[in-house]
Amino acid sequence: MAGEDGIDAACQPQKCPRIYRRHRPAVHGVLAEAPPVLVMDLTGTVFFSSVAIGVLMDAVLTAGERTCVRVVAARPIRRTLQMLGLDPQFDYFDTTQEALTAPA
């Protein structure tokens, strides 16, 4: 979920709805299969907007208790979520490999 049009994109107002519409169905598609874990890798993120936060929170709300949402992210993103009081919603990891192999 990163890249030119990913949730790390510099979010101009006219671009944000398109980004959200692009990622929300992908997340919902994965969660429809009820996996035990969903890993959201934000390591390439250079701009963390409210749209990105919305995608993460939508994932948590959609996942419910059946799927653990894990976030791979650098300290600045973790700090942003902590400042917003959202950090308890996620399990944080430094690498995708750690997130994928940690016990559920």
Side-chain angles (χ1 to χ4, degrees):
M1 295 195 58
E4 178 68 25
D5 292 327
I7 60 177
D8 65 331
C11 194
Q12 295 122 15
Q14 69 275 16
K15 194 173 185 181
C16 290
R18 183 172 61 89
I19 293 168
Y20 188 78
R21 285 192 308 269
R22 180 176 177 182
H23 290 293
R24 186 172 187 262
V27 171
H28 280 248
V30 170
L31 291 173
E33 298 175 19
V37 173
L38 171 66
V39 175
M40 301 185 78
D41 186 342
L42 304 178
T43 54
T45 302
V46 294
F47 182 80
F48 192 60
S49 70
S50 60
V51 173
I53 294 167
V55 170
L56 288 175
M57 291 309 301
D58 186 56
V60 168
L61 295 172
T62 302
E65 293 189 19
R66 69 179 187 264
T67 301
C68 176
V69 177
R70 296 179 176 173
V71 175
V72 179
R75 175 70 51 203
I77 290 176
R78 293 180 188 191
R79 180 74 179 128
T80 299
L81 293 170
Q82 181 183 32
M83 288 173 30
L84 294 170
L86 301 175
D87 58 316
Q89 303 294 323
F90 308 100
D91 292 329
Y92 296 102
F93 294 87
D94 294 321
T95 68
T96 301
Q97 185 62 33
E98 289 174 5
L100 291 171
T101 58

